[in-house]
Amino acid sequence: MAQEHKISLSDLFSQVHSDEQGLSTTEAKSRIQQFGVNELRVQKKTSELEKFLRQFENFFAILLIIGGALALLAERLDPNQGNLYIAYALFAVVFLNAIFTYLQERQSEKILESFNKMLPVMVSVVRDGKEQRIDAKTVVPGDVMILYEGDRISADGRLLEHNRLKIDLSSLTGESEPELRHLECTHDNILESRNMVFSGTLVQSGHGKVMVYATGMETQIGNIVRLTKETETIDTPIRRELKHFIKIISTIAIILGILFFLISIAVGKGTLGSLIFAIGIIVANVPEGLLPTVTLALTMASKRMAKKNALIKNLESVETLGSTTVICTDKTGTLTQNRISVNTIIINQHEYAAWDRESLHEKGLQRAWQIMVLCNNAYITQTGFSGDPTEGALLVYVQRFSSVNDYIKGTRVQEHPFDSATKRMITTHEFAEHGLLFAALKGAPEIVLSRCDRMQLEDNIVPLDAGLREQTLRLYQRLARRGERVLALAYREIEKADFNEEHFIFVGLVGMLDPARPEVPEAIVKCRKAGIRVMMITGDYGLTAEAIGNQIGLATGKCTIIRGDELETMSDPGLVKALQAPEIIFARTSPIQKLRIVKTLQSMNEVVTVTGDGVNDAPALKNADMGVAMGLMGTEVAKEASNMILMDDNFATIVDAIEEGRTIFENIKKFIAYILTSNIPEILPFIAYVVLDIPLPLTVVLILAIDLGTDILPALGLGAEKPETDVMKQLPRSRKERLLSRNLLTMSYGIVGMIQAAAGFFTYFMILFHGGWQWGERLLPADPLYQTAITGFFASIIICQIADVIICRTRRESIFKVGIFSNHLILIGIATELMLLGMISYIPQLNIFFGTAPLEAWHFLLSIP
């Protein structure tokens, strides 16, 4: 179907094969078979088990599984040598990482559930000629649905009758103002036409009947669900980097494992010895503790961000923020305080501040107050007001100086509601003491002026000539340039209710402000210094958006304003060119247009952070590199589709989170450098075992003790390190910058790792030679001298890693400038390393498990140089 809002009701009845009497129960059941149940769904392509099993496809998992399988094989060939524990440890690492990744991906499935929460459980329809309450899932096209105040609407339909029916469309369109319905088509756009209602929206007041023409996935909200689910989830930069890192490290491990397995066989070590050797090479190359450490570091960062009112849902998104190059932000509530109030009143062509009591002496002000109260659907409450924020602001202003109830007299007999096409509202009232009806008009100044031919000045009604029109427009433009939302007020008295919009008497102008958040201008400056562009994408009008942009410093020069209708006709190359403008604001945009802007920016290699609060924002939030939902005003759908939720709906909070995200990337590089350094002293013992034909200087179980034990806490300390410099004065990191760079590998493997290996071998051989060992002599695993020597090698790695973690704390600055004792978690990590070393060396039960022996004091001193 198409144009359901424009065609005649008879044509609509013909299309849905129904009428005002609705359907019979039998016909409704047959239509369930034809159209399906009324629910939001997307067919699942893969089972949950298959999704979980996919987590074992990456190089890291495959490599550890192979290592574990080889350990099991070695245990079978030569039992009770500790290989069984090695296998268990490797499988546990793979399984835990798979669970974590699966749970992260499962989060996206909650989006559909949040959409379905917007649909009611029971609804009222006309079946078999009488009203019935039925399960919302059984509503079908052709049903006549009855709506009451407070109902959540369960299908798309066209109005058949209504009584002061007002619908809250904010969850679907983002419009904050609830709108009165009308039986006639009022707009070419179906979403803005007052004769329609839509699934997922709310009946704020009144009641009505509608003819249902679309259910389930065929509704407007169904289209958004489909668009959201079809939108691919974007890999976070940190995930891409970790995949690249794992791929390189895994490749190195596989090549070395196979190569030295063959060399071991060639030099006559035997199959079992070579197999154990291959396991050692693989385990030594793969930093098993990396992913848990990254996860824990991101968790700590997310907790720090939570204290700043930024709630991270996907841990990897912490780092994504640091890569952001463009922020696409909403206006209302994010850049502004969402607290609109009357700021200026213009009466008798004189301007007054709203709180200025001098204005009370102006004749005609009472008339202006009367129009503000009567042409209004909000109402005063004990805590403020209820209803549209703009209309509520008018009542609050009047209530400051007078009583709103003094003006609410008589009966409203007619209303022509405000919409984006007419840009005005007219209400007609009947007063018992007057013979005439009173018509109140408020709306956009240019529209109201076009309806007026007279003006009230003091006690006089004068013709509205060209001079007065021009003067009024200049006053309006002056307010608009200050960022005020301006409404014009007019009235007339008539003999009977009609829809003649002419011959009104102009009374004055009202300027309202939704003040910008005071911290936003500084946040915008921070973004500029950090090389981050900020774009406003709003459903509001261009003039209002530009004025706010001027106030907060978003628009400092010639700002480009692009309206939704202009964007609709713009080609893709044209949009790419437009997006290169230094300052840009998009006004009156639709959900698909917002998504198009995000995708186009991503095609330009931008890392895009998007803010949103409505259902209509869900596709863009999900597709963005970083989706940010509003915690106070946001819908559940927006929150589910996002990566981060702002608990204060404040733009400045995003900038604080970006600073944290930039720091975490630097810190992840630091602890990757730290973790990789111990790979060399873990690998070289196995190479020396084959090439030099010496007793194996380090066992696999001790390697796991380093990777999964002693390295974890110091690495976490590096993850909590404060930034070395003001990270918000640096440009966003290049997409080409890798976690695993050539310089990092050279430093970790070629320099620091070699120094650690030298310390280990020096200690190992000193202990052996001091115990009387001679070159070429075989040592059994249970030999106390051999156990002491490998414990010394292990201790040397730990002691060198203590120095290494201090080195890794800074990349450019002196450690003395930062402060050796400034990071308490590092100090705790070092203490833990030493404690574990002591336990593995001196506790008899652990000596048996790890194959170690107690060290003498001088053994620890060997690696100090």
Side-chain angles (χ1 to χ4, degrees):
M1 294 184 198
Q3 308 294 312
E4 293 88 352
H5 59 309
K6 291 183 177 180
I7 61 178
S8 66
L9 282 176
S10 59
D11 288 341
L12 180 64
F13 293 155
S14 176
Q15 286 187 357
V16 298
H17 305 292
S18 184
D19 56 32
E20 293 186 10
Q21 301 304 311
L23 302 173
S24 66
T25 302
T26 304
E27 175 63 19
K29 287 181 179 179
S30 69
R31 293 195 183 194
I32 285 281
Q33 303 299 319
Q34 179 183 355
F35 297 104
V37 295
N38 179 31
E39 63 181 5
L40 303 174
R41 64 193 183 280
V42 173
Q43 184 178 0
K44 290 188 176 181
K45 298 179 181 179
T46 54
S47 67
E48 296 301 318
L49 177 61
E50 185 178 349
K51 291 176 186 176
F52 179 70
L53 292 177
R54 282 182 179 177
Q55 311 310 321
F56 299 93
E57 294 178 349
N58 64 72
F59 269 2
F60 187 83
I62 292 171
L63 199 58
L64 293 181
I65 290 170
I66 291 172
L70 291 175
L72 287 177
L73 179 59
E75 175 68 19
R76 183 176 179 83
L77 296 175
D78 188 9
N80 302 320
Q81 297 301 311
N83 292 308
L84 185 62
Y85 298 112
I86 294 170
Y88 288 162
L90 294 177
F91 290 146
V93 170
V94 175
F95 189 72
L96 289 173
N97 284 329
I99 289 177
F100 171 75
T101 310
Y102 166 77
L103 290 176
Q104 291 296 313
E105 294 182 358
R106 179 69 181 86
Q107 189 72 26
S108 64
E109 296 297 326
K110 292 184 179 179
I111 296 173
L112 181 59
E113 297 170 14
S114 64
F115 276 113
N116 278 319
K117 287 178 184 176
M118 298 184 64
L119 300 185
V121 177
M122 302 293 290
V123 295
S124 297
V125 297
V126 177
R127 291 270 176 92
D128 300 321
K130 59 184 179 180
E131 182 178 338
Q132 299 181 26
R133 293 285 287 175
I134 64 170
D135 189 329
K137 290 183 179 180
T138 62
V139 173
V140 292
D143 264 325
V144 173
M145 188 163 54
I146 304 175
L147 304 177
Y148 296 102
E149 183 173 332
D151 280 355
R152 179 75 70 178
I153 300 172
S154 65
D156 287 4
R158 178 164 163 180
L159 275 176
L160 299 177
E161 60 183 70
H162 76 101
N163 181 17
R164 298 178 62 81
L165 181 66
K166 184 180 284 190
I167 304 295
D168 180 358
L169 296 166
S170 59
S171 63
L172 183 64
T173 66
E175 292 286 352
S176 60
E177 179 181 358
E179 295 178 344
L180 279 166
R181 298 292 89 184
H182 201 279
L183 292 180
E184 286 78 35
C185 174
T186 59
H187 201 284
D188 288 339
N189 184 341
I190 191 169
L191 285 174
E192 297 196 38
S193 184
R194 297 295 182 98
N195 62 342
M196 310 301 289
V197 299
F198 304 103
S199 177
T201 58
L202 181 70
V203 179
Q204 190 190 64
S205 61
H207 57 86
K209 284 186 179 181
V210 299
M211 172 59 68
V212 174
Y213 66 85
T215 59
M217 295 299 290
E218 300 306 313
T219 60
Q220 295 292 329
I221 196 173
N223 292 334
I224 296 178
V225 173
R226 188 179 293 109
L227 185 62
T228 304
K229 297 297 286 183
E230 288 174 356
T231 300
E232 295 182 0
T233 302
I234 302 299
D235 259 1
T236 60
I238 192 66
R239 182 178 292 189
R240 291 194 293 267
E241 284 303 306
L242 286 172
K243 284 180 179 178
H244 176 258
F245 172 85
I246 290 168
K247 188 175 182 180
I248 291 177
I249 295 299
S250 301
T251 302
I252 292 173
I254 291 171
I255 292 173
L256 287 179
I258 294 173
L259 178 62
F260 283 97
F261 175 77
L262 297 175
I263 292 174
S264 181
I265 293 288
V267 298
K269 286 290 183 184
T271 303
L272 181 59
S274 300
L275 182 61
I276 295 171
F277 166 71
I279 294 172
I281 287 287
I282 291 173
V283 172
N285 265 287
V286 176
E288 292 84 5
L290 173 66
L291 293 184
T293 305
V294 170
T295 301
L296 289 171
L298 293 173
T299 300
M300 290 190 301
S302 68
K303 287 182 178 179
R304 291 194 297 271
M305 293 168 70
K307 293 178 181 178
K308 300 177 181 179
N309 292 316
L311 180 63
I312 289 288
K313 291 174 55 190
N314 182 338
L315 292 177
E316 294 174 355
S317 301
V318 175
E319 190 280 328
T320 306
L321 275 168
S323 310
T324 297
T325 59
V326 176
I327 301 175
C328 297
T329 176
D330 278 344
K331 176 184 69 67
T332 304
T334 308
L335 299 175
T336 66
Q337 299 178 32
N338 199 25
R339 294 189 315 186
I340 193 166
S341 60
V342 174
N343 189 66
T344 308
I345 184 80
I346 294 179
I347 295 291
N348 300 321
Q349 303 300 79
H350 293 146
E351 177 183 334
Y352 295 95
W355 57 87
D356 188 349
R357 290 189 170 271
E358 286 295 319
S359 64
L360 300 180
H361 302 300
E362 287 287 343
K363 295 179 179 179
L365 184 61
Q366 299 287 329
R367 180 68 78 186
W369 288 353
Q370 182 184 28
I371 297 168
M372 291 181 200
V373 173
L374 293 177
C375 194
N376 197 314
N377 285 314
Y379 56 91
I380 293 291
T381 65
Q382 291 183 347
T383 57
F385 68 88
S386 179
D388 172 63
T390 299
E391 295 190 333
L394 295 174
L395 296 186
V396 169
Y397 161 67
V398 174
Q399 188 77 5
R400 180 187 300 170
F401 300 110
S402 181
S403 173
V404 167
N405 293 329
D406 291 344
Y407 300 95
I408 304 177
K409 297 176 180 178
T411 305
R412 181 185 292 189
V413 296
Q414 197 173 38
E415 176 182 342
H416 301 287
F418 180 93
D419 62 39
S420 58
T422 61
K423 298 181 182 179
R424 59 89 186 102
M425 176 179 181
I426 302 174
T427 57
T428 306
H429 306 264
E430 183 177 13
F431 301 108
E433 64 271 21
H434 299 290
L436 298 175
L437 298 178
F438 182 86
L441 164 65
K442 79 170 190 290
E446 64 273 20
I447 299 298
V448 172
L449 282 170
S450 69
R451 307 293 193 268
C452 297
D453 55 12
R454 290 165 292 166
M455 173 183 281
Q456 180 168 324
L457 286 176
E458 302 290 347
D459 289 331
N460 303 314
I461 306 297
V462 301
L464 186 59
D465 58 26
L468 285 174
R469 286 181 187 275
E470 186 177 346
Q471 183 184 9
T472 303
L473 286 172
R474 282 200 303 268
L475 290 168
Y476 156 53
Q477 290 164 2
R478 185 166 73 192
L479 268 57
R481 282 193 294 269
R482 296 202 302 247
E484 298 188 31
R485 182 184 299 176
V486 185
L487 289 176
L489 308 172
Y491 76 99
R492 69 169 179 158
E493 293 180 333
I494 52 179
E495 292 185 357
K496 62 179 181 178
D498 61 22
F499 197 55
N500 184 354
E501 296 189 37
E502 297 178 353
H503 309 301
F504 275 85
I505 302 168
F506 184 84
V507 174
L509 299 173
V510 181
M512 287 174 285
L513 272 180
D514 179 7
R517 292 182 179 270
E519 57 273 29
V520 168
E522 183 182 349
I524 297 288
V525 171
K526 267 189 178 182
C527 287
R528 284 208 171 89
K529 288 181 179 178
I532 301 169
R533 287 198 297 156
V534 181
M535 298 179 183
M536 188 192 300
I537 304 179
T538 178
D540 214 332
Y541 294 98
L543 185 63
T544 306
E546 184 179 13
I548 291 295
N550 289 329
Q551 289 179 31
I552 62 176
L554 181 61
T556 59
K558 189 176 180 182
C559 183
T560 303
I561 310 291
I562 299 177
R563 299 190 311 273
D565 54 353
E566 295 173 327
L567 183 58
E568 192 70 35
T569 59
M570 190 178 290
S571 65
D572 289 341
L575 179 57
V576 169
K577 184 177 179 180
L579 287 170
Q580 293 171 351
E583 297 174 353
I584 186 168
I585 292 174
F586 290 93
R588 304 299 288 171
T589 53
S590 68
I592 294 179
Q593 289 172 339
K594 190 169 186 176
L595 180 60
R596 182 188 175 197
I597 293 167
V598 172
K599 286 188 171 182
T600 304
L601 285 167
Q602 289 172 327
S603 73
M604 298 164 63
N605 289 322
E606 304 282 4
V607 178
V608 185
T609 291
V610 173
T611 72
D613 55 12
V615 173
N616 55 323
D617 294 315
L621 286 170
K622 186 183 177 187
N623 193 80
D625 297 280
M626 187 70 189
V628 180
M630 303 299 107
L632 298 178
M633 302 295 292
T635 61
E636 287 302 314
V637 174
K639 292 174 185 177
E640 290 291 351
S642 65
N643 308 102
M644 183 174 84
I645 299 172
L646 297 184
M647 303 313 293
D648 57 359
D649 291 10
N650 194 339
F651 178 83
T653 303
I654 302 174
V655 181
D656 290 339
I658 288 174
E659 188 168 5
E660 187 70 51
R662 288 190 170 192
T663 302
I664 198 66
F665 183 81
E666 290 286 310
N667 290 348
I668 288 174
K669 291 193 78 166
K670 290 175 184 178
F671 68 63
I672 281 180
Y674 168 76
I675 288 172
L676 286 184
T677 302
S678 60
N679 277 13
I680 292 299
E682 291 173 357
I683 294 169
L684 289 182
F686 291 90
I687 296 175
Y689 166 71
V690 172
V691 176
L692 302 179
D693 194 25
I694 61 174
L696 183 62
L698 192 67
T699 61
V700 174
V701 71
L702 285 175
I703 291 172
L704 290 174
I706 295 170
D707 291 349
L708 297 176
T710 61
D711 272 359
I712 295 289
L713 264 182
L716 283 176
L718 292 173
E721 192 68 44
K722 293 180 180 179
E724 294 177 56
T725 59
D726 188 352
V727 293
M728 292 306 285
K729 290 183 179 178
Q730 301 173 18
L731 295 176
R733 71 175 179 87
S734 169
R735 281 180 175 264
K736 297 179 181 179
E737 182 181 349
R738 319 291 328 218
L739 273 176
L740 190 62
S741 64
R742 185 178 300 171
N743 286 345
L744 189 149
L745 271 177
T746 301
M747 177 62 72
S748 297
Y749 279 11
I751 301 176
V752 182
M754 287 297 184
I755 294 173
Q756 288 193 18
F761 279 112
F762 178 69
T763 302
Y764 177 73
F765 284 119
M766 282 293 291
I767 293 173
L768 286 181
F769 286 132
H770 185 268
W773 177 79
Q774 294 182 355
W775 199 274
E777 183 182 347
R778 302 290 179 185
L779 292 174
L780 295 174
D783 191 310
L785 178 60
Y786 173 69
Q787 291 180 338
T788 303
I790 63 171
T791 308
F793 199 110
F794 172 73
S796 295
I797 296 176
I798 301 302
I799 291 169
C800 288
Q801 282 289 74
I802 290 172
D804 188 30
V805 75
I806 296 173
I807 293 170
C808 290
R809 283 187 59 193
T810 59
R811 300 182 67 196
R812 295 174 294 276
E813 293 180 333
S814 164
I815 185 63
F816 297 106
K817 182 178 179 181
V818 174
I820 293 179
F821 303 107
S822 60
N823 189 328
H824 295 155
L825 192 54
I826 290 283
L827 299 178
I828 293 171
I830 291 172
T832 304
E833 279 188 299
L834 292 173
M835 183 182 69
L836 288 174
L837 172 58
M839 291 169 63
I840 290 172
S841 298
Y842 297 110
I843 295 178
Q845 291 83 358
L846 294 182
N847 289 157
I848 295 170
F849 180 81
F850 287 100
T852 54
L855 295 177
E856 298 177 29
W858 68 273
H859 294 156
F860 293 103
L861 300 176
L862 294 172
S863 56
I864 296 298

